[in-house]
């Protein structure tokens, strides 16, 4: 009885009186003695099923009665309109088969967060999280559409690496047959190597950060969308970033309104962000604003999560902060020729308190200057031998960026915590399930 199955969503489009066969999981169950109401959940949504001796053979009324929460079932019936049913339609059952009878489901509602995280493999079935996975799918699809339309090549860099991209403090060390190796923090250096043949490259891959920060926006393992472009300066790169974010946000508004509404996301904010042309402020200006807001912060201080949250109060779209002091940023960035104390670097911050979702820069393309920058940071040039080589054979101006996919999803979906942007989050002390 597997053929001719339709989704809960398409049942609602059928004429009343049409026969339909559906399958899925028991989401709600109400036994009224004579009648039994089941709300069926499948990947497309939910649908009310009614078993009633008036139109359902007795054995199937009994099967409906026995179908516990989260049991998998296949059901056949006739479509009827009912304004009280979710979505305005229901299926009056003629047949019901229990495929997998569920034991007492451990999640009933009202459980604490640690319990839910221990049961994440079951909790991910929830309608709320399912809506997030669907939004995430559309974001990933839009990223790919965007880069494809712009002639970027998708590449696959390694996750096991030898040296730090973003500083030694947050490296996860692994045992590489007795030698130390690390899980990658960023694919940037490999993308830089690939621009010398492909010119414009991008990748979507996990990045790993052993940051002991217990914030609502840090994961140990996150999905990193990175791109690198030969011949491009910081300006062009910022334009690429805002067009990417605007395009993806627009696609999500086009395709995932139902999910956003299920999540009670206020879409006004997102509407404002669907066009590029996001505001830009220099680091210097950001510091001035923070001081105006009463913070005792000075030029040269880091702009952390708390400061970022304050700055987001001034905007209702993503916005850039540019031209950070060199010491605050990574060794590979190019100093601004106009003001060599500042880097040609930018962050894109999402509004509503989220903060940094993208970090990017123009790269130092000169061999001697890069060697000096490595030494200035007390790093060992030996560790960056192949990276330096890229500046020895036909070096060109180039720029790139990395977008934290999970943080972007957190913003778009209006989530309180980054853990709900990804099915199996790695954060705090969690590596199960
Ligand atoms: O700013 P970051 O450290 O930049 C880089 O890694 C560059 N090498 C990227 C590049 O130019 N190719 O990280 C980029 C983005 C951040 O803006 C943030 O959105 C995200 O990665 N990110 C994290 N997301 C979740 N959890 C963490 N622990 C994250 N650390 C960074
Ligand atoms: Mg950053």
């Amino acid at each position: 009885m597997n053929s001719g199955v339709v989704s809960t969503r398409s049942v609602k489009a059928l004429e009343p009186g049409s026969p339909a066969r559906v399958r899925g999981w028991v989401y709600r169950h109400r036994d009224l003695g004579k009648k039994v109401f089941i709300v069926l959940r499948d990947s497309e949504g939910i649908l009310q099923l009614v078993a009633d001796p008036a139109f359902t053979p007795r054995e199937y009324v009994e099967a409906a009665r026995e179908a516990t929460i989260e049991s998998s079932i296949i059901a056949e019936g006739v479509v009827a309109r009912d304004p009280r049913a979710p979505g305005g339609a229901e299926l009056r059952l003629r047949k019901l088969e229990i495929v997998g009878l569920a034991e007492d489901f451990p999640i009933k509602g009202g459980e604490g967060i640690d319990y839910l995280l221990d049961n994440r493999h079951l909790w991910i079935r929830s309608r709320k999280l399912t809506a997030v996975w669907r939004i995430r799918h559309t974001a990933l699809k839009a990223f790919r559409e965007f880069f494809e339309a712009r002639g970027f090549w998708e590449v696959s860099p390694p996750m096991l690496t030898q040296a730090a991209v973003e500083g030694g403090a947050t490296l996860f060390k692994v045992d590489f047959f007795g030698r130390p190796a690390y899980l990658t923090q960023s694919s940037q250096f490999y993308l830089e190597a690939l621009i010398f043949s492909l010119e414009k490259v991008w990748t979507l891959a996990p990045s790993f950060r052993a940051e002991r920060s217990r914030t609502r926006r840090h994961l140990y393992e996150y999905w990193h969308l990175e791109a690198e472009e030969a011949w491009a300066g910081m300006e062009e790169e910022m334009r690429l970033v805002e067009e990417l974010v605007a395009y993806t946000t627009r696609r999500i508004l086009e395709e995932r309104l139902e999910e956003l509404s299920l999540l009670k996301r206020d879409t006004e904010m997102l509407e404002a962000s669907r066009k590029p042309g996001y505001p830009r402020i220099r680091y210097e200006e950001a510091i001035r604003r923070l001081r105006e807001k009463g913070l005792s912060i000075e030029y040269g201080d880091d702009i952390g999560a708390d400061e970022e949250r304050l700055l987001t109060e001034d905007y209702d779209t993503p916005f850039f902060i540019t031209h950070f002091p060199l010491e605050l940023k990574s060794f590979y960035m190019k100093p601004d020729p106009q003001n060599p104390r500042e880097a040609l670097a930018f962050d894109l911050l999402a509004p509503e308190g989220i903060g940094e979702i993208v970090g990017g820069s123009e790269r130092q393309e000169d061999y001697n200057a890069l060697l000096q920058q490595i030494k200035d940071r007390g790093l060992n040039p030996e560790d960056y031998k192949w990276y330096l080589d890229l500046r020895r054979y036909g070096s060109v101006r180039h720029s790139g960026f990395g977008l934290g996919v999970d943080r972007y999803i957190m913003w778009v979906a209006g989530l309180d915590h980054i853990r709900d942007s990804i099915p199996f989050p790695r954060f705090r002390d969690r590596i199960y399930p």
Side-chain angles (χ1 to χ4, degrees), residues 166 186 188 209 211 219 222 226 356-357 363 401 404:
E166 296 299 331
S186 160
Q188 179 189 323
R209 304 280 170 111
E211 273 172 288
L219 295 169
Y222 71 96
E226 294 184 276
E356 181 188 342
I357 55 170
R363 324 301 194 188
F401 69 88

Side-chain angles (χ1 to χ4, degrees), residues 60-91:
Y60 299 123
V61 177
E62 287 318 304
R65 205 181 307 285
E66 284 157 22
T68 48
I69 295 286
E70 289 303 318
S71 290
S72 47
I73 61 175
I74 301 176
E76 279 177 40
V78 176
V79 180
R81 292 271 161 263
D82 188 329
R84 288 162 304 180
E90 64 183 19
L91 198 64

Side-chain angles (χ1 to χ4, degrees), residues 326-339:
L326 284 181
E327 327 65 89
L328 292 184
K329 289 287 178 188
S330 306
F331 75 88
Y332 51 74
M333 293 180 179
K334 189 167 163 174
D336 184 357
Q338 316 278 313
N339 176 4

Side-chain angles (χ1 to χ4, degrees), residues 21 159 235 270 279 360 392:
R21 179 182 288 168
M159 303 293 102
E235 262 307 310
L270 299 179
R392 294 173 65 203

